[in-house]
């Protein structure tokens, strides 16, 4: 008989593309994720992923299996959530979706002070918008607005996507080229450097490159790490470049551990929104989380 956790691990690997990313999203160890995948592959009798370098690429049979289980899993998670709420009448449970880095910078430090239960879920923004609409999530933090008439968005902060580097990165030549507005040479210099990126999200790099150079970024980072906060730690006091939101590295910039090298010829800004359903029974709890976020973002 198939263990439900095997399917959950399979889905997480499919969504993140790596065993590490799946383990982080499920809050379990990487060996545990590997064990679940191995057990599921043994049960179904065929490989579900091809291991290519650091990426887990789904096989055709893996894609078929994913399409079969994704909706039933969502319904089971929905049922699990509502059952938990019904059995905890005196303590509400709020499900909140956001990216991993935003959680670490903002809400993580306040979790233990909240007078209600909280379930934090990580995922991509379209998936979180869909789960909010279906009632699986009660609140999301997102730079993307959905089209559902059941959801309302409230802008509360903004982020600027910037090019940063370790303090040992010598950017003098780049600064001269930027002063001359020599974009071809600036692009050439950038491509010669060592870059950091994450396995699951290249959106910041791709959008920044398109906005400033008018073309697709035709290179891959040299070092792929689990998340954006890992990039900040890796760059601190060292060499290399990355493109990340400014609020994730403000403290390190102020402390002189990394430096902002370029904000672009035109700033790339994202507005951050609270996404909620228009009808919710958890308005007081959601209002408290919103208040905490606004206070933290003002202080950053």
């Amino acid at each position: 008989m198939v263990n439900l956790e095997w399917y959950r691990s399979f889905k997480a690997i499919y969504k993140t593309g790596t065993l590490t990313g799946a383990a982080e999203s499920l809050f379990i160890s990487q060996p545990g994720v590997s064990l679940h995948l191995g057990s599921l592959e043994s049960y179904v009798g065929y490989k579900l992923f091809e291991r290519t370098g650091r990426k887990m690429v789904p096989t055709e049979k893996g894609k078929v299996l994913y399409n079969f289980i994704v909706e039933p899993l969502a319904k089971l998670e929905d049922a699990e959530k509502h059952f938990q709420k019904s059995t905890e009448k005196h303590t509400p449970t709020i499900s909140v979706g956001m990216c991993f880095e935003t959680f670490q910078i903002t809400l993580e430090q306040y979790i233990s002070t909240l007078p209600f239960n909280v379930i934090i879920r990580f995922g991509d923004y379209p998936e979180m918008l869909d789960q909010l609409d279906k009632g699986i999530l009660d609140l999301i933090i997102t730079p993307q607005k959905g089209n559902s008439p059941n959801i309302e968005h409230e802008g509360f902060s903004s982020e600027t996507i910037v090019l940063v580097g370790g303090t040992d990165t010598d950017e003098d030549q780049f600064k001269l080229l930027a002063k001359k507005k020599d974009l071809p040479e600036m692009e050439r210099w950038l491509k010669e450097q060592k870059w950091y990126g994450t396995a699951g999200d290249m959106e910041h790099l791709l959008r920044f490159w398109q906005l400033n150079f008018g073309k697709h970024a035709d290179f891959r980072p040299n070092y792929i790490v689990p998340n954006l906060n890992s990039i900040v730690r890796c760059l601190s006091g060292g060499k290399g470049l990355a493109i990340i939101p400014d609020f994730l590295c403000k403290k390190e910039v102020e402390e002189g551990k990394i430096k902002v090298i370029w904000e672009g010829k035109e700033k790339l800004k994202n507005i951050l929104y609270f996404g909620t359903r228009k009808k919710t029974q958890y308005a007081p709890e959601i209002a408290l989380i919103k208040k905490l976020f606004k206070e933290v973002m003002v202080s950053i």
Side-chain angles (χ1 to χ4, degrees), residues 114-129:
L114 295 174
F116 45 84
N117 299 327
V118 179
I119 299 173
I120 303 295
R121 296 179 184 269
F122 305 124
D124 56 39
Y125 298 120
E127 179 184 31
M128 287 194 289
L129 283 164

Side-chain angles (χ1 to χ4, degrees), residues 2-284:
V2 177
N3 186 321
L4 180 60
E5 296 306 315
W6 298 355
Y7 284 139
R8 282 181 169 166
S9 292
F10 167 71
K11 177 188 173 185
I13 297 169
Y14 194 99
K15 297 295 292 183
T16 64
T18 66
L19 294 172
T20 300
E24 289 183 348
S25 69
L26 296 170
F27 293 101
I28 62 177
S29 67
Q30 183 174 321
V33 171
S34 298
L35 179 61
H36 290 170
L37 176 59
S39 299
L40 183 58
E41 287 182 328
S42 296
Y43 182 84
V44 298
Y46 45 76
K47 291 179 66 175
L48 299 172
F49 294 96
E50 295 290 347
R51 283 74 166 171
T52 58
R54 296 178 180 269
K55 291 285 288 182
M56 301 286 285
V57 179
T59 62
E60 289 305 311
K61 295 201 175 201
K63 293 176 183 177
V64 172
L65 179 62
Y66 177 81
N67 289 330
F68 265 102
I69 69 162
V70 64
E71 276 300 316
L73 267 183
K75 290 180 180 178
L76 282 172
E77 289 169 351
D78 193 18
E80 180 183 39
K81 176 195 167 193
H82 281 87
F83 175 78
Q84 184 177 32
K85 287 180 179 177
S86 66
T87 59
E88 296 176 353
K89 296 179 181 178
H90 302 296
T91 306
T93 297
I94 309 301
S95 293
V96 185
M98 68 190 81
C99 75
F100 179 75
E101 296 86 355
T102 300
F103 170 70
Q104 283 192 311
I105 293 291
T106 56
L107 195 58
E108 186 177 54
Q109 59 188 309
Y110 295 107
I111 282 290
S112 64
T113 70
L114 295 174
F116 45 84
N117 299 327
V118 179
I119 299 173
I120 303 295
R121 296 179 184 269
F122 305 124
D124 56 39
Y125 298 120
E127 179 184 31
M128 287 194 289
L129 283 164
D130 181 60
Q131 291 183 342
L132 177 64
D133 195 25
K134 290 178 177 177
I136 299 172
L137 293 173
D138 300 301
L139 169 69
I140 63 172
I141 314 301
T142 173
Q144 299 178 10
K145 296 173 71 173
N147 299 316
S148 171
N150 301 319
I151 296 176
E152 57 186 5
H153 296 84
E154 175 192 347
F156 69 94
S157 185
S158 65
E159 60 184 13
T160 302
I161 311 304
V162 295
L163 171 68
V164 299
T167 50
D168 288 343
T169 303
D170 183 0
E171 81 278 22
D172 290 345
Q173 183 183 357
F174 180 80
K175 293 288 188 182
L176 290 173
L177 295 171
K179 190 173 182 179
K180 297 177 184 177
K181 299 181 180 180
D182 189 342
L183 290 175
E185 284 301 305
M186 290 167 66
E187 183 183 22
R188 183 189 62 77
W189 184 90
L190 289 172
K191 288 183 179 180
E192 291 175 351
Q193 310 308 306
K194 297 294 185 181
W195 282 82
Y196 285 86
T198 62
D201 186 9
M202 294 289 290
E203 180 183 356
H204 295 319
L205 172 60
L206 297 176
R207 289 179 60 209
F208 188 92
W209 213 265
Q210 184 66 44
L211 179 64
N212 287 288
F213 299 109
K215 61 179 73 170
H216 183 78
D218 58 352
F219 67 97
R220 296 285 297 176
N222 305 88
Y223 311 115
I224 303 296
V225 297
N227 55 63
L228 296 177
N229 287 334
S230 297
I231 290 178
V232 174
R233 290 191 292 270
C234 290
L235 283 176
S236 294
K239 291 183 180 180
L241 301 177
I243 292 173
I244 61 175
D246 58 348
F247 80 92
L248 289 179
C249 61
K250 182 180 179 184
K251 180 181 175 215
E252 288 76 11
V253 170
E254 291 174 346
E255 293 174 350
K257 294 179 179 178
I258 66 175
K259 51 190 174 184
V260 176
I261 292 178
W262 192 38
E263 293 186 341
K265 64 178 184 179
E266 181 180 344
K267 289 186 178 181
L268 176 57
K269 285 184 172 285
N270 289 329
I271 296 176
L272 297 178
Y273 298 94
F274 295 124
T276 56
R277 288 186 305 284
K278 292 179 179 178
K279 295 182 179 180
T280 176
Q281 58 181 312
Y282 302 114

Side-chain angles (χ1 to χ4, degrees), residues 105-107 109-110 290-300:
I105 293 291
T106 56
L107 195 58
Q109 59 188 309
Y110 295 107
K290 286 182 176 181
K291 180 175 178 290
L292 289 174
F293 260 95
K294 290 175 181 178
E295 291 174 352
V296 172
M297 295 306 289
V298 166
S299 67
I300 292 178

